[in-house]
Amino acid sequence: IFSQFYRSAGADLSKLDQVQAAVERMDIDPSAPTLFLSECVFIYMTPEDSSALIEWTRDFFSGPICYAVNEQILPDDAFGQMMISNLRDRGITLRSYRTFPTLEAQEKRFRDRGFTGAKALDMNDVYKSF
């Protein structure tokens, strides 16, 4: 999808050379404010690959950037255990749920990569806030 205000492209997010080539093909101004939407993406990547991607965006984009991330958390509560079991039964592996299992860990993930602000909310907090 390519329009004046919205652009998207596909790439293997674990291969930063592919990501950079896709971004460059979209002719995005790296100094412009940029919003990244990530819904259940990082959890399927290794912690190292998702961290490298976050760091790459921090370094490539010189303007303000913001991430809106929806990730599974709390793998040890009843819902989390059921979710992991159901996905495992289907051959699906969640690669980073142990590394970033809580809201605090999600915030720390971004702060440790140089982001000055990070705020994580669970869906209950989102529903109450909006």
Side-chain angles (χ1 to χ4, degrees):
I1 298 172
F2 189 91
S3 74
Q4 181 180 357
F5 299 108
Y6 180 86
R7 296 173 189 185
S8 65
D12 181 337
L13 298 178
S14 68
K15 296 182 177 12
L16 297 180
D17 58 332
Q18 289 184 19
V19 172
Q20 182 154 343
V23 168
E24 289 172 349
R25 279 192 308 273
M26 291 188 298
D27 194 31
I28 291 176
D29 177 0
S31 67
T34 305
L35 172 64
F36 292 94
L37 302 175
S38 172
E39 183 172 6
C40 303
V41 172
F42 293 147
I43 200 159
Y44 292 101
M45 300 173 74
T46 66
E48 296 79 15
D49 285 341
S50 63
S51 295
L53 178 63
I54 292 167
E55 291 168 3
W56 178 85
T57 61
R58 179 204 63 210
D59 295 340
F60 183 83
F61 290 88
S62 59
I65 63 174
C66 177
Y67 271 89
V69 178
N70 182 6
E71 289 288 304
Q72 296 91 331
I73 58 168
L74 304 177
D76 296 317
D77 70 7
F79 179 85
Q81 289 175 356
M82 181 60 70
M83 173 190 62
I84 291 165
S85 175
N86 285 337
L87 291 170
R88 187 179 307 121
D89 290 348
R90 289 163 179 74
I92 300 169
T93 303
L94 302 178
R95 295 180 175 168
S96 64
Y97 73 93
R98 289 284 174 212
T99 307
F100 306 107
T102 63
L103 294 174
E104 295 79 16
Q106 293 291 334
E107 290 175 352
K108 187 175 183 321
R109 153 191 261 177
F110 285 90
R111 286 193 184 111
D112 285 353
R113 280 150 194 88
F115 285 76
T116 56
K119 179 65 179 159
L121 303 169
D122 67 21
M123 290 310 294
N124 290 324
D125 292 333
V126 171
Y127 292 136
K128 290 175 194 172
S129 298
F130 301 101

